[in-house]
Amino acid sequence: MLAQRYPLVWQKKKFFIKIFCSIPNIATGILIKADKSLFVVDPGDGILRDLNNEIGTEKILNISDLFITHGHHDHVGGVWSLLTYLRVMNKKTPLTIHYPEGCVEIESIHNAFRKVYSKTLPYQINLKEIKNQRSYSSSNITVRPFPVIHKEYLHDGKTTRQVPALGYKFIFDGLKICYGGDTAYCEDLVKQAKDSDLAIIEAGHDEDTPDEMHMTLNEAKEIGESAKEYFLVHVPE
Ligand SMILES: [Zn+2]
Ligand SMILES: [Zn+2]
């Protein structure tokens, strides 16, 4: 297991990832560089501050893709400010937002954003709703989305429902980074994490009683250890 104090950084050749943070119910924020291409994964609250510190305005404008694992606020809380910042700073190149089918949070943020700014938007936003788990290429990386199991409670505090949720495997220059997002133990994640150069695995459950929302430390470690290196994230503080 690699060190676990945020930010977490990993780099091989020209493939780089920095996890600014991943704190349950607060925020996640991840930057990926593949040579000169820049991608953001799960832009939670604070992402703009972290990107500004890390790469500065000019490079923020070059971000080509956002990848969303699911619509919980700790994973999408920074989307509105990021979209707005790109408008204010006059981004010219398109931005693609990849998100799981049925993720109403992203669609709602996008609709509201268009409603307010469509007449004054200098850049194009492409929504890519992921309906199947086939690999595809975006900019200069190959992306393999995969389904994960992530539930949430309804009002009664007892009944649960599945949240549209994905993990992503990013492949660049023969290197593979697997990020599961928020998930309970699931076979798809087991399969995708295995033999990855880096696996980023959540361990959001605080006791050894598995549920269908997050993984325990032991489950997460077991999956992480099947990759060449791994980070545990989303651990309750
Ligand atoms: Zn979360
Ligand atoms: Zn979640």
Side-chain angles (χ1 to χ4, degrees), residues 155-197:
H155 304 298
D156 62 8
K158 288 181 209 147
T159 322
T160 60
R161 69 172 173 199
Q162 170 73 26
V163 176
L166 296 171
Y168 292 100
K169 193 148 166 186
F170 300 100
I171 303 161
F172 174 73
D173 199 8
L175 295 164
K176 291 171 272 188
I177 295 176
C178 174
Y179 171 49
D182 285 8
T183 178
Y185 190 92
C186 71
E187 289 306 322
D188 286 284
L189 177 61
V190 170
K191 198 171 124 197
Q192 297 301 332
K194 193 172 185 301
D195 299 326
S196 289
D197 294 276

mmCIF file of all heavy atoms in Angstrom, residues 155-197:
data_model
loop_
_atom_site.group_PDB
_atom_site.id
_atom_site.type_symbol
_atom_site.label_atom_id
_atom_site.label_comp_id
_atom_site.label_asym_id
_atom_site.label_seq_id
_atom_site.Cartn_x
_atom_site.Cartn_y
_atom_site.Cartn_z
ATOM 1 N N HIS A 155 -35.461 8.316 2.473
ATOM 2 C CA HIS A 155 -35.795 9.138 3.647
ATOM 3 C C HIS A 155 -35.947 8.337 4.935
ATOM 4 O O HIS A 155 -35.654 8.821 6.014
ATOM 5 C CB HIS A 155 -37.105 9.904 3.415
ATOM 6 C CG HIS A 155 -37.079 10.742 2.196
ATOM 7 N ND1 HIS A 155 -36.192 11.790 2.052
ATOM 8 C CD2 HIS A 155 -37.792 10.696 1.052
ATOM 9 C CE1 HIS A 155 -36.375 12.346 0.867
ATOM 10 N NE2 HIS A 155 -37.339 11.700 0.244
ATOM 11 N N ASP A 156 -36.480 7.128 4.809
ATOM 12 C CA ASP A 156 -36.776 6.363 6.029
ATOM 13 C C ASP A 156 -35.502 5.891 6.743
ATOM 14 O O ASP A 156 -35.570 5.380 7.862
ATOM 15 C CB ASP A 156 -37.689 5.167 5.703
ATOM 16 C CG ASP A 156 -37.037 4.181 4.740
ATOM 17 O OD1 ASP A 156 -35.834 4.335 4.438
ATOM 18 O OD2 ASP A 156 -37.737 3.260 4.275
ATOM 19 N N GLY A 157 -34.372 6.056 6.086
ATOM 20 C CA GLY A 157 -33.120 5.659 6.734
ATOM 21 C C GLY A 157 -32.889 4.160 6.741
ATOM 22 O O GLY A 157 -31.909 3.686 7.313
ATOM 23 N N LYS A 158 -33.794 3.403 6.109
ATOM 24 C CA LYS A 158 -33.665 1.936 6.097
ATOM 25 C C LYS A 158 -33.584 1.398 4.678
ATOM 26 O O LYS A 158 -32.730 0.600 4.343
ATOM 27 C CB LYS A 158 -34.873 1.286 6.792
ATOM 28 C CG LYS A 158 -34.873 1.464 8.297
ATOM 29 C CD LYS A 158 -36.098 0.761 8.884
ATOM 30 C CE LYS A 158 -36.537 1.469 10.167
ATOM 31 N NZ LYS A 158 -37.971 1.434 10.369
ATOM 32 N N THR A 159 -34.565 1.843 3.842
ATOM 33 C CA THR A 159 -34.601 1.347 2.468
ATOM 34 C C THR A 159 -33.423 1.933 1.679
ATOM 35 O O THR A 159 -33.077 3.092 1.860
ATOM 36 C CB THR A 159 -35.910 1.797 1.781
ATOM 37 O OG1 THR A 159 -36.966 1.719 2.729
ATOM 38 C CG2 THR A 159 -36.222 0.944 0.577
ATOM 39 N N THR A 160 -32.863 1.095 0.818
ATOM 40 C CA THR A 160 -31.767 1.601 -0.008
ATOM 41 C C THR A 160 -32.116 1.489 -1.488
ATOM 42 O O THR A 160 -32.999 0.724 -1.874
ATOM 43 C CB THR A 160 -30.470 0.802 0.232
ATOM 44 O OG1 THR A 160 -30.707 -0.570 -0.087
ATOM 45 C CG2 THR A 160 -29.988 0.932 1.660
ATOM 46 N N ARG A 161 -31.422 2.262 -2.300
ATOM 47 C CA ARG A 161 -31.541 2.107 -3.754
ATOM 48 C C ARG A 161 -30.159 2.251 -4.374
ATOM 49 O O ARG A 161 -29.283 2.941 -3.855
ATOM 50 C CB ARG A 161 -32.500 3.144 -4.345
ATOM 51 C CG ARG A 161 -31.945 4.553 -4.279
ATOM 52 C CD ARG A 161 -32.797 5.546 -5.043
ATOM 53 N NE ARG A 161 -32.302 6.894 -4.798
ATOM 54 C CZ ARG A 161 -32.998 7.993 -5.000
ATOM 55 N NH1 ARG A 161 -34.229 7.933 -5.438
ATOM 56 N NH2 ARG A 161 -32.461 9.165 -4.777
ATOM 57 N N GLN A 162 -30.016 1.556 -5.506
ATOM 58 C CA GLN A 162 -28.758 1.620 -6.251
ATOM 59 C C GLN A 162 -28.606 3.007 -6.878
ATOM 60 O O GLN A 162 -29.554 3.563 -7.437
ATOM 61 C CB GLN A 162 -28.741 0.530 -7.327
ATOM 62 C CG GLN A 162 -27.612 0.624 -8.341
ATOM 63 C CD GLN A 162 -26.243 0.244 -7.783
ATOM 64 O OE1 GLN A 162 -26.116 -0.516 -6.834
ATOM 65 N NE2 GLN A 162 -25.200 0.803 -8.379
ATOM 66 N N VAL A 163 -27.423 3.563 -6.773
ATOM 67 C CA VAL A 163 -27.097 4.842 -7.409
ATOM 68 C C VAL A 163 -26.420 4.511 -8.745
ATOM 69 O O VAL A 163 -25.606 3.595 -8.788
ATOM 70 C CB VAL A 163 -26.083 5.596 -6.509
ATOM 71 C CG1 VAL A 163 -25.626 6.884 -7.146
ATOM 72 C CG2 VAL A 163 -26.671 5.833 -5.134
ATOM 73 N N PRO A 164 -26.772 5.227 -9.839
ATOM 74 C CA PRO A 164 -26.002 4.993 -11.069
ATOM 75 C C PRO A 164 -24.523 5.265 -10.783
ATOM 76 O O PRO A 164 -24.167 6.382 -10.403
ATOM 77 C CB PRO A 164 -26.567 6.024 -12.057
ATOM 78 C CG PRO A 164 -27.920 6.378 -11.510
ATOM 79 C CD PRO A 164 -27.791 6.269 -10.017
ATOM 80 N N ALA A 165 -23.693 4.245 -10.902
ATOM 81 C CA ALA A 165 -22.296 4.404 -10.481
ATOM 82 C C ALA A 165 -21.371 3.551 -11.336
ATOM 83 O O ALA A 165 -21.687 2.420 -11.686
ATOM 84 C CB ALA A 165 -22.144 4.008 -9.011
ATOM 85 N N LEU A 166 -20.228 4.143 -11.673
ATOM 86 C CA LEU A 166 -19.228 3.474 -12.495
ATOM 87 C C LEU A 166 -17.852 3.591 -11.855
ATOM 88 O O LEU A 166 -17.590 4.526 -11.093
ATOM 89 C CB LEU A 166 -19.128 4.149 -13.873
ATOM 90 C CG LEU A 166 -20.323 4.110 -14.803
ATOM 91 C CD1 LEU A 166 -20.077 5.030 -15.993
ATOM 92 C CD2 LEU A 166 -20.580 2.680 -15.271
ATOM 93 N N GLY A 167 -17.000 2.638 -12.212
ATOM 94 C CA GLY A 167 -15.575 2.825 -12.030
ATOM 95 C C GLY A 167 -14.988 3.058 -13.410
ATOM 96 O O GLY A 167 -15.651 2.810 -14.430
ATOM 97 N N TYR A 168 -13.757 3.539 -13.475
ATOM 98 C CA TYR A 168 -13.104 3.782 -14.761
ATOM 99 C C TYR A 168 -11.698 3.194 -14.747
ATOM 100 O O TYR A 168 -10.977 3.326 -13.759
ATOM 101 C CB TYR A 168 -12.950 5.280 -15.027
ATOM 102 C CG TYR A 168 -14.236 6.029 -15.264
ATOM 103 C CD1 TYR A 168 -14.816 6.776 -14.247
ATOM 104 C CD2 TYR A 168 -14.856 6.018 -16.517
ATOM 105 C CE1 TYR A 168 -15.990 7.501 -14.452
ATOM 106 C CE2 TYR A 168 -16.034 6.732 -16.728
ATOM 107 C CZ TYR A 168 -16.592 7.464 -15.699
ATOM 108 O OH TYR A 168 -17.756 8.176 -15.908
ATOM 109 N N LYS A 169 -11.357 2.591 -15.872
ATOM 110 C CA LYS A 169 -9.974 2.190 -16.066
ATOM 111 C C LYS A 169 -9.406 3.076 -17.168
ATOM 112 O O LYS A 169 -10.001 3.180 -18.247
ATOM 113 C CB LYS A 169 -9.917 0.726 -16.478
ATOM 114 C CG LYS A 169 -8.537 0.135 -16.391
ATOM 115 C CD LYS A 169 -8.664 -1.321 -16.029
ATOM 116 C CE LYS A 169 -7.405 -2.081 -16.247
ATOM 117 N NZ LYS A 169 -7.653 -3.513 -16.000
ATOM 118 N N PHE A 170 -8.311 3.738 -16.869
ATOM 119 C CA PHE A 170 -7.672 4.654 -17.822
ATOM 120 C C PHE A 170 -6.389 3.995 -18.319
ATOM 121 O O PHE A 170 -5.549 3.596 -17.509
ATOM 122 C CB PHE A 170 -7.347 5.979 -17.146
ATOM 123 C CG PHE A 170 -8.552 6.689 -16.587
ATOM 124 C CD1 PHE A 170 -8.851 6.620 -15.238
ATOM 125 C CD2 PHE A 170 -9.399 7.413 -17.429
ATOM 126 C CE1 PHE A 170 -9.965 7.278 -14.711
ATOM 127 C CE2 PHE A 170 -10.518 8.066 -16.910
ATOM 128 C CZ PHE A 170 -10.798 8.001 -15.553
ATOM 129 N N ILE A 171 -6.259 3.908 -19.635
ATOM 130 C CA ILE A 171 -5.109 3.220 -20.219
ATOM 131 C C ILE A 171 -4.354 4.187 -21.129
ATOM 132 O O ILE A 171 -4.939 4.790 -22.038
ATOM 133 C CB ILE A 171 -5.572 1.978 -21.018
ATOM 134 C CG1 ILE A 171 -6.374 1.060 -20.080
ATOM 135 C CG2 ILE A 171 -4.382 1.225 -21.612
ATOM 136 C CD1 ILE A 171 -7.260 0.064 -20.802
ATOM 137 N N PHE A 172 -3.075 4.365 -20.830
ATOM 138 C CA PHE A 172 -2.251 5.283 -21.623
ATOM 139 C C PHE A 172 -0.827 4.745 -21.683
ATOM 140 O O PHE A 172 -0.253 4.393 -20.647
ATOM 141 C CB PHE A 172 -2.263 6.689 -20.973
ATOM 142 C CG PHE A 172 -1.334 7.664 -21.636
ATOM 143 C CD1 PHE A 172 -1.634 8.200 -22.886
ATOM 144 C CD2 PHE A 172 -0.143 8.045 -21.018
ATOM 145 C CE1 PHE A 172 -0.763 9.093 -23.496
ATOM 146 C CE2 PHE A 172 0.723 8.937 -21.625
ATOM 147 C CZ PHE A 172 0.406 9.463 -22.860
ATOM 148 N N ASP A 173 -0.293 4.681 -22.882
ATOM 149 C CA ASP A 173 1.092 4.264 -23.082
ATOM 150 C C ASP A 173 1.390 2.917 -22.396
ATOM 151 O O ASP A 173 2.431 2.746 -21.754
ATOM 152 C CB ASP A 173 2.026 5.372 -22.539
ATOM 153 C CG ASP A 173 3.437 5.245 -23.121
ATOM 154 O OD1 ASP A 173 3.634 4.424 -24.037
ATOM 155 O OD2 ASP A 173 4.334 5.952 -22.629
ATOM 156 N N GLY A 174 0.445 2.012 -22.499
ATOM 157 C CA GLY A 174 0.630 0.675 -21.926
ATOM 158 C C GLY A 174 0.448 0.602 -20.418
ATOM 159 O O GLY A 174 0.608 -0.460 -19.811
ATOM 160 N N LEU A 175 0.086 1.725 -19.790
ATOM 161 C CA LEU A 175 -0.096 1.753 -18.332
ATOM 162 C C LEU A 175 -1.577 1.846 -17.992
ATOM 163 O O LEU A 175 -2.334 2.517 -18.700
ATOM 164 C CB LEU A 175 0.648 2.958 -17.742
ATOM 165 C CG LEU A 175 2.169 2.924 -17.889
ATOM 166 C CD1 LEU A 175 2.749 4.310 -17.640
ATOM 167 C CD2 LEU A 175 2.776 1.913 -16.917
ATOM 168 N N LYS A 176 -1.962 1.201 -16.890
ATOM 169 C CA LYS A 176 -3.385 1.146 -16.535
ATOM 170 C C LYS A 176 -3.633 1.663 -15.120
ATOM 171 O O LYS A 176 -3.040 1.158 -14.167
ATOM 172 C CB LYS A 176 -3.879 -0.308 -16.620
ATOM 173 C CG LYS A 176 -3.924 -0.843 -18.053
ATOM 174 C CD LYS A 176 -4.204 -2.320 -18.090
ATOM 175 C CE LYS A 176 -2.886 -3.044 -17.998
ATOM 176 N NZ LYS A 176 -2.842 -4.440 -18.190
ATOM 177 N N ILE A 177 -4.502 2.641 -15.034
ATOM 178 C CA ILE A 177 -4.942 3.124 -13.722
ATOM 179 C C ILE A 177 -6.409 2.738 -13.562
ATOM 180 O O ILE A 177 -7.239 3.062 -14.416
ATOM 181 C CB ILE A 177 -4.798 4.660 -13.604
ATOM 182 C CG1 ILE A 177 -3.324 5.073 -13.678
ATOM 183 C CG2 ILE A 177 -5.421 5.151 -12.300
ATOM 184 C CD1 ILE A 177 -3.109 6.589 -13.660
ATOM 185 N N CYS A 178 -6.731 2.060 -12.474
ATOM 186 C CA CYS A 178 -8.115 1.640 -12.205
ATOM 187 C C CYS A 178 -8.642 2.405 -10.996
ATOM 188 O O CYS A 178 -8.065 2.336 -9.913
ATOM 189 C CB CYS A 178 -8.128 0.133 -11.934
ATOM 190 S SG CYS A 178 -9.733 -0.478 -11.431
ATOM 191 N N TYR A 179 -9.739 3.126 -11.193
ATOM 192 C CA TYR A 179 -10.373 3.861 -10.093
ATOM 193 C C TYR A 179 -11.803 3.367 -9.931
ATOM 194 O O TYR A 179 -12.614 3.476 -10.851
ATOM 195 C CB TYR A 179 -10.343 5.365 -10.411
ATOM 196 C CG TYR A 179 -11.148 6.229 -9.457
ATOM 197 C CD1 TYR A 179 -11.026 6.103 -8.076
ATOM 198 C CD2 TYR A 179 -12.027 7.194 -9.940
ATOM 199 C CE1 TYR A 179 -11.762 6.891 -7.208
ATOM 200 C CE2 TYR A 179 -12.771 8.001 -9.085
ATOM 201 C CZ TYR A 179 -12.629 7.833 -7.713
ATOM 202 O OH TYR A 179 -13.369 8.624 -6.849
ATOM 203 N N GLY A 180 -12.118 2.830 -8.792
ATOM 204 C CA GLY A 180 -13.430 2.223 -8.590
ATOM 205 C C GLY A 180 -14.529 3.186 -8.177
ATOM 206 O O GLY A 180 -15.695 2.801 -8.153
ATOM 207 N N GLY A 181 -14.171 4.439 -7.834
ATOM 208 C CA GLY A 181 -15.178 5.350 -7.287
ATOM 209 C C GLY A 181 -15.677 4.811 -5.953
ATOM 210 O O GLY A 181 -14.958 4.121 -5.237
ATOM 211 N N ASP A 182 -16.927 5.113 -5.628
ATOM 212 C CA ASP A 182 -17.527 4.572 -4.399
ATOM 213 C C ASP A 182 -18.192 3.244 -4.747
ATOM 214 O O ASP A 182 -19.022 3.180 -5.649
ATOM 215 C CB ASP A 182 -18.606 5.515 -3.858
ATOM 216 C CG ASP A 182 -18.029 6.745 -3.182
ATOM 217 O OD1 ASP A 182 -16.806 6.939 -3.257
ATOM 218 O OD2 ASP A 182 -18.813 7.508 -2.583
ATOM 219 N N THR A 183 -17.861 2.218 -4.015
ATOM 220 C CA THR A 183 -18.452 0.918 -4.331
ATOM 221 C C THR A 183 -18.338 -0.065 -3.174
ATOM 222 O O THR A 183 -17.394 -0.010 -2.389
ATOM 223 C CB THR A 183 -17.776 0.298 -5.587
ATOM 224 O OG1 THR A 183 -18.333 -0.998 -5.842
ATOM 225 C CG2 THR A 183 -16.272 0.171 -5.425
ATOM 226 N N ALA A 184 -19.303 -0.931 -3.110
ATOM 227 C CA ALA A 184 -19.179 -2.111 -2.259
ATOM 228 C C ALA A 184 -18.283 -3.111 -3.004
ATOM 229 O O ALA A 184 -17.951 -2.907 -4.167
ATOM 230 C CB ALA A 184 -20.557 -2.717 -2.015
ATOM 231 N N TYR A 185 -17.918 -4.161 -2.318
ATOM 232 C CA TYR A 185 -17.121 -5.205 -2.954
ATOM 233 C C TYR A 185 -17.872 -5.729 -4.172
ATOM 234 O O TYR A 185 -19.030 -6.103 -4.070
ATOM 235 C CB TYR A 185 -16.881 -6.339 -1.951
ATOM 236 C CG TYR A 185 -15.883 -7.364 -2.418
ATOM 237 C CD1 TYR A 185 -14.540 -7.238 -2.102
ATOM 238 C CD2 TYR A 185 -16.285 -8.446 -3.187
ATOM 239 C CE1 TYR A 185 -13.605 -8.177 -2.532
ATOM 240 C CE2 TYR A 185 -15.360 -9.378 -3.632
ATOM 241 C CZ TYR A 185 -14.025 -9.242 -3.289
ATOM 242 O OH TYR A 185 -13.117 -10.173 -3.723
ATOM 243 N N CYS A 186 -17.237 -5.712 -5.341
ATOM 244 C CA CYS A 186 -17.926 -6.255 -6.521
ATOM 245 C C CYS A 186 -16.935 -6.868 -7.497
ATOM 246 O O CYS A 186 -15.791 -6.437 -7.596
ATOM 247 C CB CYS A 186 -18.808 -5.207 -7.188
ATOM 248 S SG CYS A 186 -17.933 -3.911 -8.044
ATOM 249 N N GLU A 187 -17.422 -7.874 -8.192
ATOM 250 C CA GLU A 187 -16.555 -8.666 -9.071
ATOM 251 C C GLU A 187 -15.978 -7.848 -10.224
ATOM 252 O O GLU A 187 -14.862 -8.096 -10.665
ATOM 253 C CB GLU A 187 -17.310 -9.895 -9.618
ATOM 254 C CG GLU A 187 -17.592 -10.966 -8.571
ATOM 255 C CD GLU A 187 -16.334 -11.437 -7.827
ATOM 256 O OE1 GLU A 187 -15.272 -11.548 -8.464
ATOM 257 O OE2 GLU A 187 -16.427 -11.677 -6.609
ATOM 258 N N ASP A 188 -16.758 -6.882 -10.728
ATOM 259 C CA ASP A 188 -16.230 -6.067 -11.834
ATOM 260 C C ASP A 188 -14.986 -5.292 -11.395
ATOM 261 O O ASP A 188 -14.028 -5.170 -12.143
ATOM 262 C CB ASP A 188 -17.300 -5.102 -12.349
ATOM 263 C CG ASP A 188 -18.350 -5.828 -13.161
ATOM 264 O OD1 ASP A 188 -18.053 -6.178 -14.321
ATOM 265 O OD2 ASP A 188 -19.451 -6.079 -12.632
ATOM 266 N N LEU A 189 -15.046 -4.779 -10.189
ATOM 267 C CA LEU A 189 -13.876 -4.059 -9.683
ATOM 268 C C LEU A 189 -12.706 -5.018 -9.469
ATOM 269 O O LEU A 189 -11.567 -4.704 -9.810
ATOM 270 C CB LEU A 189 -14.225 -3.331 -8.374
ATOM 271 C CG LEU A 189 -13.060 -2.598 -7.710
ATOM 272 C CD1 LEU A 189 -12.490 -1.509 -8.626
ATOM 273 C CD2 LEU A 189 -13.491 -1.987 -6.385
ATOM 274 N N VAL A 190 -13.002 -6.182 -8.929
ATOM 275 C CA VAL A 190 -11.944 -7.189 -8.726
ATOM 276 C C VAL A 190 -11.233 -7.459 -10.047
ATOM 277 O O VAL A 190 -10.005 -7.452 -10.134
ATOM 278 C CB VAL A 190 -12.562 -8.503 -8.168
ATOM 279 C CG1 VAL A 190 -11.543 -9.634 -8.172
ATOM 280 C CG2 VAL A 190 -13.106 -8.278 -6.759
ATOM 281 N N LYS A 191 -12.043 -7.640 -11.097
ATOM 282 C CA LYS A 191 -11.496 -7.969 -12.411
ATOM 283 C C LYS A 191 -10.664 -6.810 -12.987
ATOM 284 O O LYS A 191 -9.589 -7.005 -13.530
ATOM 285 C CB LYS A 191 -12.687 -8.272 -13.344
ATOM 286 C CG LYS A 191 -12.328 -9.033 -14.597
ATOM 287 C CD LYS A 191 -13.597 -9.474 -15.319
ATOM 288 C CE LYS A 191 -13.570 -8.942 -16.739
ATOM 289 N NZ LYS A 191 -14.882 -8.964 -17.383
ATOM 290 N N GLN A 192 -11.175 -5.605 -12.860
ATOM 291 C CA GLN A 192 -10.486 -4.459 -13.478
ATOM 292 C C GLN A 192 -9.244 -4.023 -12.701
ATOM 293 O O GLN A 192 -8.297 -3.498 -13.272
ATOM 294 C CB GLN A 192 -11.453 -3.270 -13.617
ATOM 295 C CG GLN A 192 -12.640 -3.534 -14.533
ATOM 296 C CD GLN A 192 -12.225 -3.907 -15.943
ATOM 297 O OE1 GLN A 192 -11.160 -3.521 -16.431
ATOM 298 N NE2 GLN A 192 -13.054 -4.684 -16.620
ATOM 299 N N ALA A 193 -9.269 -4.225 -11.395
ATOM 300 C CA ALA A 193 -8.115 -3.795 -10.581
ATOM 301 C C ALA A 193 -6.917 -4.720 -10.778
ATOM 302 O O ALA A 193 -5.766 -4.286 -10.737
ATOM 303 C CB ALA A 193 -8.504 -3.759 -9.104
ATOM 304 N N LYS A 194 -7.228 -5.980 -11.025
ATOM 305 C CA LYS A 194 -6.165 -6.983 -11.139
ATOM 306 C C LYS A 194 -5.172 -6.601 -12.233
ATOM 307 O O LYS A 194 -5.570 -6.284 -13.347
ATOM 308 C CB LYS A 194 -6.814 -8.339 -11.466
ATOM 309 C CG LYS A 194 -5.900 -9.523 -11.307
ATOM 310 C CD LYS A 194 -6.715 -10.807 -11.460
ATOM 311 C CE LYS A 194 -5.909 -12.046 -11.193
ATOM 312 N NZ LYS A 194 -4.768 -12.251 -12.026
ATOM 313 N N ASP A 195 -3.910 -6.618 -11.858
ATOM 314 C CA ASP A 195 -2.814 -6.324 -12.786
ATOM 315 C C ASP A 195 -2.777 -4.882 -13.291
ATOM 316 O O ASP A 195 -2.038 -4.573 -14.210
ATOM 317 C CB ASP A 195 -2.820 -7.280 -13.995
ATOM 318 C CG ASP A 195 -2.646 -8.723 -13.545
ATOM 319 O OD1 ASP A 195 -1.922 -8.922 -12.550
ATOM 320 O OD2 ASP A 195 -3.226 -9.623 -14.171
ATOM 321 N N SER A 196 -3.597 -3.999 -12.720
ATOM 322 C CA SER A 196 -3.448 -2.585 -13.077
ATOM 323 C C SER A 196 -2.118 -2.091 -12.523
ATOM 324 O O SER A 196 -1.599 -2.622 -11.545
ATOM 325 C CB SER A 196 -4.573 -1.747 -12.451
ATOM 326 O OG SER A 196 -5.800 -2.026 -13.089
ATOM 327 N N ASP A 197 -1.574 -1.074 -13.167
ATOM 328 C CA ASP A 197 -0.337 -0.498 -12.632
ATOM 329 C C ASP A 197 -0.634 0.261 -11.341
ATOM 330 O O ASP A 197 0.180 0.289 -10.429
ATOM 331 C CB ASP A 197 0.299 0.422 -13.685
ATOM 332 C CG ASP A 197 0.755 -0.396 -14.870
ATOM 333 O OD1 ASP A 197 1.868 -0.951 -14.803
ATOM 334 O OD2 ASP A 197 -0.023 -0.554 -15.833
#
